Amino acid sequence: MSKATPNTGAAAESVPRTAGDMLRMGREFLTRKGLAQARLEAELLVANALGIERLKLFMDLERPLSAEEVSRGRSLLSRRARGEPIAYITGGREFYARTFSVGPAVLIPRPETELLVDRAREFVRARGLASPRCLDVGTGSGVIALSLALEIPGASVVAVDISSAALEVARANALQLRVPAERVEFIQGDGALAARAQAPFELVISNPPYIAFEAKPTLAADVRDHEPELALFSPAGDPHHWLRRLLEETPALIAPGGVLLIEIGHDQSAAALELARARNRPAKIHKDLAKLPRILEVEF
Ligand code: GLN
């Protein structure tokens, strides 16, 4: 009898035959590269290479792969292994239960920023505002502005950013998420005053760049080497630049009884309260789920 058996050795192993193979190999590869979330990330990247949802992958483990799918999967996995953030590779990130397109022109939205949207909704509800006018300063991918427009039925939102590339991403997200054009207006400009002609607003909201430039060397490499500096850092030597700017510019734009909500770094709360109170404004800090100070709320 012939002893010949199909070759299932090392060479065959290195080319994934099925979605399940690629998932296992991707997981091992990313683990070897030292990525803490190797399992989840392999799932996201392999699903993306196959053009399916992550959870659908598990119903399709036996699905055979085309040569093209194999090479797409390999290229996505090696980009991740070289440090590119997963959201830029897949081109999307969830925020407030919706998927937003993101790319290297914008900050990748962080889960703690959802709290800013929660606070804004709470403010609108508590005041019983039927058609609040909202200003989002430094809109980036548009996550805050568009979540407000979609979550608060009568809201109209103005979204400002200095970066035209970021505004392109935000506009594309507005189209993708079918936000009616009359509910959101995008303006290119530097700071809140770019929306002077659209004032007054009941709500001014911002997740400004608040990481001290001096802290750059301490950041994770995927953040430091890939996300836009303009979106991450306050100017060198001036860690509270945007707190000050927003507190200075808001009075010219805000309606009486309005509120300013700013996301802050966990080490900024004392300075934030001090800056607000120096302007005789009632102010408080809200903590995030990790119990870290995260939002400055200022009343006008
Ligand atoms: N508003 C966007 C966000 O919250 C961008 C913020 C920024 O670039 N600093 O994700």
Side-chain angles (χ1 to χ4, degrees):
M1 262 181 77
S2 161
K3 290 207 167 172
T5 51
N7 181 0
T8 54
E13 267 296 286
S14 64
V15 180
R17 230 180 15 84
T18 63
D21 287 347
M22 187 149 80
L23 187 57
R24 183 171 40 74
M25 291 165 68
R27 201 147 63 204
E28 286 164 10
F29 175 63
L30 295 183
T31 304
R32 261 200 320 280
K33 296 289 176 179
L35 291 166
Q37 304 258 52
R39 171 182 291 265
L40 171 67
E41 295 192 345
E43 290 167 10
L44 288 165
L45 294 172
V46 170
N48 192 268
L50 304 185
I52 59 177
E53 296 287 320
R54 178 170 72 97
L55 295 176
K56 177 95 193 323
L57 196 56
F58 296 98
M59 294 181 267
D60 254 352
L61 292 175
E62 295 304 316
R63 165 185 168 161
L65 302 177
S66 70
E68 204 201 331
E69 286 169 335
V70 171
S71 79
R72 203 157 49 223
R74 283 191 167 145
S75 130
L76 300 187
L77 287 159
S78 54
R79 281 169 67 186
R80 182 62 193 123
R82 286 197 300 271
E84 200 174 328
I86 191 139
Y88 290 160
I89 302 175
T90 62
R93 176 52 51 95
E94 301 287 313
F95 184 86
Y96 229 84
R98 297 182 182 87
T99 303
F100 287 79
S101 292
V102 295
V106 297
L107 190 81
I108 298 167
R110 306 300 202 264
E112 55 270 26
T113 301
E114 293 182 345
L115 210 63
L116 215 46
V117 178
D118 286 340
R119 290 307 314 166
R121 294 177 67 192
E122 176 56 26
F123 165 75
V124 169
R125 195 196 56 76
R127 298 292 163 93
L129 300 172
S131 48
R133 288 154 298 175
C134 311
L135 169 62
D136 176 24
V137 183
T139 199
S141 60
V143 281
I144 298 171
L146 300 175
S147 299
L148 292 178
L150 290 163
E151 295 292 336
I152 303 174
S156 57
V157 184
V158 176
V160 170
D161 206 289
I162 196 169
S163 156
S164 58
L167 286 173
E168 256 176 61
V169 175
R171 282 198 181 94
N173 277 320
L175 279 180
Q176 179 68 33
L177 295 169
R178 300 177 196 281
V179 179
E182 69 279 8
R183 302 281 307 285
V184 58
E185 182 180 355
F186 296 99
I187 297 178
Q188 186 179 5
D190 182 9
L193 293 178
R196 201 193 286 264
Q198 284 73 11
F201 299 97
E202 277 82 34
L203 177 68
V204 176
I205 195 166
S206 182
N207 174 21
Y210 57 70
I211 301 173
F213 193 75
E214 291 71 18
K216 185 174 174 182
T218 67
L219 294 187
D222 52 357
V223 176
R224 187 190 60 220
D225 299 340
H226 294 273
E227 294 192 75
E229 289 206 345
L230 203 56
L232 291 172
F233 300 112
S234 48
D238 189 9
H240 308 310
H241 175 87
W242 280 103
L243 276 174
R244 203 175 308 109
R245 284 274 304 268
L246 287 162
L247 284 163
E248 267 163 26
E249 295 180 5
T250 296
L253 305 165
I254 197 102
V259 78
L260 168 64
L261 294 171
I262 311 176
E263 182 170 322
I264 57 169
H266 63 87
D267 53 357
Q268 278 189 304
S269 63
L273 284 176
E274 203 172 301
L275 286 167
R277 288 176 182 158
R279 286 171 176 77
N280 296 316
R281 296 293 173 198
K284 59 181 168 225
I285 300 286
H286 300 279
K287 292 187 174 168
D288 64 16
L289 297 177
K291 304 258 190 292
L292 296 171
R294 185 57 66 192
I295 295 174
L296 173 70
E297 175 172 342
V298 187
E299 291 171 33
F300 284 85

